[in-house]
């Protein structure tokens, strides 16, 4: 699907004359849609640049940008942002370490029971997070994993691992098995073939899966909310929730924190467009 | 179940072939290597299976057990969770709050899905046209979907603020309203506002998947259709819609399953209030477990949510099988 989307785009770009006469009217309409859809994002940035305490009279344009909101946000939420970053990176490593070999086994070995495993992955998407959190809380309490970074890395990977397996497997299905067989003939064992051939060839799908598991863990709110009870480990999502849980009189700091928490999503959208498109189209349908 | 079913054939093979061992001395070694190979292949899958069992299998089983126990904060100190049978289910289902949250869940899910789907499909069809900057504009539309949900909730809290929110100021400037509308603090408006925000979040997902589905429909069909006079609405009715159906059902089922378990948006926007007017089964289950520390009742309500999701999945599987049979 993503491929055809891309070819379509390329065709549009290559043969502008073949397309209907330059339809700038449609472009204007599309920009209008986009403006409406992205207004909240604009408003977040605008409000984050208002002077402290003056957000009540937020101007429509940040003509006199004021960075005190960011100063407050960084001093109050800075450590939480670092916590989120550590947890998200940890979750990416764990998810890929678990998902890549599994995807390989499902795609290449065609082990018996692969169907059952895939079915279990699909079913797992239907299990409400609150059910998982409810049971994990009691288990984490016994294991001493509450309020710990490893505990949150493990739990947050539940958002990413099923998705990563599906997306990497879909890609590996397309790898020519002759390449792997050739490596085997040359005497490479399973592990050598996996690390020297399969992983490098699957680079793109690993990047896509890694970016999404990062976003999933970064955005996690449920496990942050339920599996922490103290301030010791506090992801930024929970920090924002605590901000808006009470009466808010300093929206510029809240919005500045929200902007900082949106940076990964914005970076990915701008810098890793190709991978995001691949993830959204293939991950959801397969 | 899966492992047992898969291992049994090879076991059967082993026992069957045992008498043949002295007939052909090479066979056992090869079989051995084959078995070793099988084992090695499974090792690639083991971490994932273990993880899925611990973080999806175990919670489901544990939740079922907890729902039959009087599991409270005291349990964490004494380690005792007395067996109470179906008491938790009786308490939860007979509470007046259950019918409220069931209704809210239904309204929230139906409203969100309808809005997301209709707007997403309209935009997907619009973006089928060729015009400059199409690709870039379409990809920027993904942003609301990629933002952390709690960030979106915070932003919308501020936009929908009664006294100085952007929406009320905008409507005020246009003289549509005279005083601030209490979007999130009125019992009659809060659910509508929450649904609206959730529609905003879901549009990019629907747009992307449906756009992909539309791209898969071969142009020749439309060309042939236009010869038969099928253009515009007719082309949509007789070509686009039937061809798009599989993608539509995937989008709708995924949408329902994801919307049923939404927690972040509601907790962030209204925390279930005012006066439980935005309380859904998911948020109520959270409140029971983590605010009132009645883990048994929270588990029971969580299981009700699982059953609702399952019913949906089964209905979907049936419907799709029937579609295939036809």
């Amino acid at each position: 699907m993503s491929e055809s989307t891309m070819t379509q785009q390329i065709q549009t770009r290559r043969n502008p004359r073949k397309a209907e006469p330059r339809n700038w009217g449609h472009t204007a309409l599309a920009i209008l849609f986009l403006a409406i859809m992205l207004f909240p994002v604009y408003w977040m940035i605008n409000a984050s640049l208002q002077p402290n305490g003056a957000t009540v009279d937020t101007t429509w344009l940040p003509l006199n940008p004021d960075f005190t909101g960011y100063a407050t946000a960084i001093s109050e939420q800075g450590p939480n942002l670092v916590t989120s970053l550590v947890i998200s990176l940890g979750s990416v490593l764990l998810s890929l370490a678990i998902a890549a070999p599994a995807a390989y086994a499902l795609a290449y070995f065609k082990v018996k029971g692969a169907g059952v495993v895939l079915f279990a992955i699909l079913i797992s998407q239907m299990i409400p997070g609150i059910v998982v959190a409810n049971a994990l809380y009691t288990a984490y309490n016994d294991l001493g994993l509450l309020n710990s970074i490893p505990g949150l890395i493990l739990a947050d990977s539940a958002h990413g691992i099923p998705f990563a397996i599906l997306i990497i497997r879909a890609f590996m299905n397309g790898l020519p098995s002759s390449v792997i067989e050739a490596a085997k003939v040359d005497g490479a064992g399973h592990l050598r073939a996996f690390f020297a051939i399969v992983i490098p060839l699957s680079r793109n799908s690993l990047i896509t899966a890694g970016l999404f598991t990062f976003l999933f863990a970064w955005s996690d709110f449920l496990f942050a909310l339920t599996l922490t009870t103290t301030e010791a480990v506090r992801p930024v999502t929970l920090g924002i929730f605590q901000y808006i849980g009470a009466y808010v009189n300093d929206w510029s700091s809240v919005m500045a924190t929200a902007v900082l928490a949106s940076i990964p999503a914005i970076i990915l959208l701008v810098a890793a467009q190709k991978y995001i498109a691949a993830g959204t189209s293939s991950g959801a349908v397969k | 179940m899966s492992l047992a079913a898969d291992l049994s054939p090879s076991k059967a093979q082993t026992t069957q072939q045992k008498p043949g061992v002295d007939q052909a001395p090479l066979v056992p070694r090869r079989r051995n290597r084959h078995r070793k190979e099988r084992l090695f292949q499974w090792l690639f899958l083991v971490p994932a299976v273990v993880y899925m069992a611990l973080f999806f299998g175990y919670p489901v089983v544990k939740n079922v057990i907890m729902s039959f126990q009087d599991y409270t904060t005291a349990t964490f100190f004494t380690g005792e969770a007395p067996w109470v049978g179906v008491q938790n289910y009786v308490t939860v289902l007979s509470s007046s709050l259950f019918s409220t949250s069931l209704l809210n869940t239904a309204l929230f899910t139906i409203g969100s899905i309808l809005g997301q789907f209709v707007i997403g499909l309209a935009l997907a069809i619009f973006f089928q046209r060729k015009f400059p900057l199409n690709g870039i504009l379409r990809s920027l539309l993904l942003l609301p979907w990629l933002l952390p949900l709690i960030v979106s909730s915070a932003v919308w809290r501020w936009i929908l603020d009664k006294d100085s929110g952007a929406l009320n100021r905008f409507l005020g400037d246009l003289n549509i309203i005279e005083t601030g509308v209490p979007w999130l603090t009125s019992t009659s408006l809060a659910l509508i506002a929450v649904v609206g925000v959730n529609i905003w979040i879901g549009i990019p997902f629907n747009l992307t998947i449906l756009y992909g589905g539309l791209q898969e429909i071969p142009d020749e069909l439309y060309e042939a259709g236009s010869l038969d006079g099928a253009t515009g609405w007719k082309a949509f009715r007789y070509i686009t819609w039937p061809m798009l159906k599989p993608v539509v059902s995937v989008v709708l089922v995924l949408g329902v399953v994801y919307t049923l378990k939404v927690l972040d948006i509601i907790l962030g926007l209204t925390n279930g209030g005012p006066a439980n007017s935005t309380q859904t089964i998911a948020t109520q289950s959270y409140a029971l477990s983590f605010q009132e520390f009645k883990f048994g009742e929270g588990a029971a309500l969580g299981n009700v949510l699982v059953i609702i999701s399952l019913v949906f999945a089964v209905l979907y599987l049936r419907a799709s099988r029937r579609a295939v049979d036809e």
Side-chain angles (χ1 to χ4, degrees):
Chain A
M1 186 178 288
S2 60
E3 246 173 72
S4 68
T5 316
M6 265 185 255
T7 29
Q8 182 82 20
Q9 281 172 2
I10 292 164
Q11 278 170 356
T12 324
R13 246 176 259 150
R14 276 192 193 151
N15 311 321
R17 249 165 282 148
K18 218 177 180 185
E20 281 144 54
R22 299 189 159 250
N23 249 325
W24 287 100
H26 283 117
T27 307
L29 201 55
I31 290 175
L32 180 69
F33 289 146
L34 188 68
I36 295 170
M37 281 295 284
L38 294 193
F39 173 77
V41 180
Y42 167 72
W43 200 244
M44 167 175 79
I45 297 169
N46 180 28
S48 74
L49 292 169
Q50 304 289 329
N52 263 355
T55 35
V56 173
D57 315 300
T58 307
T59 49
W60 294 102
L61 291 168
L63 293 177
N64 303 302
D66 179 300
F67 292 92
T68 45
Y70 283 91
T72 317
I74 288 171
S75 72
E76 288 181 6
Q77 302 283 346
N80 299 345
L81 284 161
V82 175
T83 303
S84 281
L85 189 64
V86 171
I87 291 173
S88 308
L89 290 175
S91 175
V92 170
L93 289 181
L94 179 70
S95 301
L96 291 184
I98 289 181
Y104 178 54
L106 291 172
Y108 180 64
F109 294 146
K110 317 275 184 226
V111 287
K112 290 179 180 171
V116 180
V117 175
L118 283 175
F119 187 68
I121 290 171
L122 291 178
I123 288 288
S124 74
Q125 298 304 294
M126 295 178 29
I127 301 170
I130 186 63
V131 166
V132 177
N134 204 27
L136 277 191
Y137 179 83
T138 61
Y140 271 33
N141 188 52
D142 296 340
L143 296 169
L145 280 172
L146 289 178
N147 303 307
S148 75
I149 291 200
L152 280 179
I153 290 177
L154 277 167
D156 283 359
S157 300
H159 300 304
I161 286 178
F163 178 82
I165 294 178
L166 292 181
I167 207 167
I168 301 173
R169 173 188 159 270
F171 183 88
M172 286 181 175
N173 268 338
L175 284 184
S177 58
S178 54
V179 180
I180 301 157
E181 292 303 334
K184 289 263 183 60
V185 170
D186 288 347
H190 272 305
L191 282 176
R192 272 277 306 283
F194 178 68
F195 283 110
I197 308 287
V198 178
I199 291 290
L201 281 179
S202 312
R203 207 179 121 253
N204 280 357
S205 69
L206 292 172
I207 294 176
T208 303
L211 292 176
F212 272 88
T213 45
F214 184 93
L215 265 194
F216 290 154
W218 178 269
S219 314
D220 167 72
F221 167 66
L222 178 67
F223 292 131
L225 179 67
T226 52
L227 300 179
T228 65
T229 51
T230 63
E231 305 237 346
V233 173
R234 175 147 296 177
V236 70
T237 46
L238 195 53
I240 293 175
F241 182 64
Q242 233 113 41
Y243 265 161
I244 59 177
Y247 174 76
V248 186
N249 55 11
D250 177 18
W251 277 103
S252 63
S253 313
V254 180
M255 290 299 112
T257 313
V259 170
L260 295 176
S262 308
I263 287 176
I266 293 172
I267 289 180
L268 293 190
L269 192 64
V270 174
Q273 173 57 98
K274 185 175 94 184
Y275 301 109
I276 296 291
T280 43
S281 48
S282 61
V285 177
K286 291 203 170 111
Chain B
M1 175 195 109
S2 64
L3 290 179
D6 292 322
L7 291 176
S8 52
S10 59
K11 248 186 227 161
Q13 253 181 6
T14 329
T15 43
Q16 263 178 8
Q17 288 177 0
K18 247 179 194 163
V21 165
D22 30 20
Q23 280 175 339
L26 267 177
V27 173
R29 199 186 291 164
R30 197 183 296 158
R31 203 197 310 139
N32 225 347
R33 199 194 294 159
H34 182 71
R35 229 204 260 149
K36 229 172 150 188
E37 167 83 17
R38 255 285 116 89
L39 195 77
F40 214 90
Q41 296 184 346
W42 262 101
L43 283 182
F44 278 83
L45 208 49
V46 163
V49 171
V50 169
Y51 183 88
M52 296 297 286
L54 286 180
F55 285 84
F56 290 103
Y58 165 78
V60 168
V61 174
K62 173 79 176 166
N63 229 54
V64 171
I65 298 171
M66 281 169 81
S67 70
F68 295 111
Q69 289 176 315
D70 185 19
Y71 211 112
T72 59
T73 15
T75 310
F76 295 114
F77 297 108
T78 61
E80 282 168 30
W83 202 254
V84 293
V86 293
Q87 187 54 49
N88 287 327
Y89 287 93
V90 173
T91 313
V92 162
L93 295 179
S94 63
S95 120
S96 65
L97 209 50
F98 176 72
S99 47
T100 312
S101 42
L102 186 65
L103 181 66
N104 286 343
T105 307
L107 292 175
F108 177 71
T109 307
I110 296 169
S112 301
I113 297 297
L114 260 181
Q116 292 171 6
F117 178 76
V118 170
I119 300 175
L121 181 61
L123 284 176
I125 292 172
F126 173 77
F127 275 100
Q128 287 294 106
R129 295 160 189 263
K130 290 179 180 131
F131 55 81
L133 303 180
N134 180 318
I136 291 173
L137 294 173
R138 188 159 38 79
S139 62
L140 285 177
L141 273 174
L142 276 177
L143 192 54
W145 186 60
L146 296 175
L147 293 180
L149 290 175
I150 207 73
V151 165
S152 304
S153 309
V155 174
W156 279 100
R157 267 279 295 274
W158 176 223
I159 291 176
L160 296 174
D161 188 80
K162 175 174 174 284
D163 297 317
S164 35
L167 182 60
N168 279 347
R169 283 177 52 195
F170 179 70
L171 293 176
D173 287 353
L174 292 180
N175 287 323
I176 294 174
I177 56 167
E178 277 172 18
T179 54
V181 179
W183 296 108
L184 293 171
T185 45
S186 137
T187 48
S188 52
L189 288 174
L191 188 61
I192 297 172
V194 172
V195 167
V197 173
N198 197 35
I199 289 176
W200 176 77
I201 292 167
I203 288 173
F205 173 77
N206 282 263
L207 163 63
T208 308
I209 306 300
L210 292 170
Y211 178 84
L214 288 173
Q215 292 289 81
E216 299 281 289
I217 303 176
D219 283 341
E220 292 79 31
L221 279 182
Y222 291 106
E223 285 158 19
S226 68
L227 293 180
D228 293 336
T231 50
W233 166 249
K234 263 192 179 163
F236 177 82
R237 169 78 182 74
Y238 293 104
I239 301 172
T240 313
W241 187 251
M243 291 296 288
L244 198 60
K245 249 185 182 172
V247 180
V248 167
S249 62
V250 167
V251 168
L252 291 182
V253 171
L254 282 180
V256 168
V257 167
Y258 287 133
T259 311
L260 279 175
K261 53 184 193 182
V262 163
L263 205 77
D264 316 34
I265 306 161
I266 297 178
L267 290 185
L269 284 172
T270 61
N271 222 332
N276 292 319
S277 58
T278 54
Q279 199 78 260
T280 61
I281 296 183
T283 61
Q284 177 61 14
S285 170
Y286 163 76
L288 280 172
S289 286
F290 291 97
Q291 286 173 336
E292 299 175 34
F293 302 109
K294 297 173 181 166
F295 286 91
E297 292 183 17
L301 202 53
N303 290 336
V304 172
L305 193 58
V306 173
I307 291 169
I308 296 175
S309 295
L310 272 179
V311 167
F312 251 94
V314 170
L315 285 178
Y316 161 69
L317 284 177
R318 273 226 187 124
S320 55
R321 194 169 303 157
R322 204 178 303 138
V324 170
D325 288 345
E326 280 166 8

